[in-house]
Amino acid sequence: GMHTKKKKRIHPIGNYHKELAKQLLDFFQDPLERASGVLSTVDAYCLYNKARGVGLVSPDDFMQSCHKLPTLAGSNISLSKVGAGSVLRLQGGTHDTAILEATKDRRPVSAIKLASVLKISSHLASQILYDAEARGQLCRDALAPEGTVFYRNLFCCPE
């Protein structure tokens, strides 16, 4: 796009972000299903631009289009804040049920264990666990011998 004196971006096509959002919706169905319904926006951005090869999309255009994903008809993908970053989430993704399943029978779960179950990076798994703790689903034990682990919060999420 072209910049005006006010640094406002003007796109040659008025619906550029909406059209890009439609492309993202089609593109991310399979990668999100393979990643148990959650994918960091950094990973998503890299995957998408790598698949395009040429005519790369800027990070700003990518994020603006991601914000439009939930407004598209038939969309099952949303943008959520997790920790300091954001993720694309597939509606009905298995990440929340995987956390509850991993902490069943009062077993602890670490970021590395959750990452291997969900097939995501340990950093993203860690952010998801801290986010679940902030929502009250999990309790953290930072003094465990194997490092920081999380347990199901039995006061709000009984077995």
Side-chain angles (χ1 to χ4, degrees), residues 78-90:
S78 62
L79 184 68
S80 302
K81 191 134 182 81
V82 174
S86 55
V87 295
L88 292 177
R89 288 185 191 245
L90 186 62

Side-chain angles (χ1 to χ4, degrees), residues 2 5 22 33 42 51 56 64 87 89 110 122 126 142:
M2 180 177 77
K5 290 180 183 178
K22 288 178 185 177
E33 286 175 12
V42 173
L56 304 180
Q64 285 186 41
V87 295
R89 288 185 191 245
S110 66
S122 59
S126 176

Side-chain angles (χ1 to χ4, degrees), residues 24-113:
L24 296 176
L25 182 63
D26 289 337
F27 180 82
F28 284 114
Q29 292 298 320
D30 289 336
L32 278 166
E33 286 175 12
R34 284 193 305 269
S36 301
V38 64
L39 194 60
S40 77
T41 51
V42 173
D43 292 340
Y45 174 75
C46 292
L47 275 174
Y48 185 71
N49 270 332
K50 185 176 182 180
R52 284 180 70 111
V54 293
L56 304 180
V57 174
S58 74
D60 184 52
D61 289 339
F62 183 82
M63 288 306 292
Q64 285 186 41
S65 298
C66 285
H67 283 287
K68 292 190 180 300
L69 284 170
T71 65
L72 297 176
S75 176
N76 60 347
I77 299 175
S78 62
L79 184 68
S80 302
K81 191 134 182 81
V82 174
S86 55
V87 295
L88 292 177
R89 288 185 191 245
L90 186 62
Q91 212 171 37
T94 58
H95 54 279
D96 286 332
T97 54
I99 291 171
L100 294 177
E101 184 64 30
T103 58
K104 193 170 77 173
D105 300 327
R106 300 182 185 185
R107 291 178 294 170
V109 65
S110 66
I112 293 172
K113 182 177 178 183

Side-chain angles (χ1 to χ4, degrees), residues 123-143:
H123 176 72
L124 181 56
S126 176
Q127 292 297 318
I128 290 171
L129 288 169
Y130 280 106
D131 189 50
E133 178 193 24
R135 289 192 317 265
Q137 292 178 321
L138 299 176
C139 297
R140 176 175 21 143
D141 180 2
L143 301 175

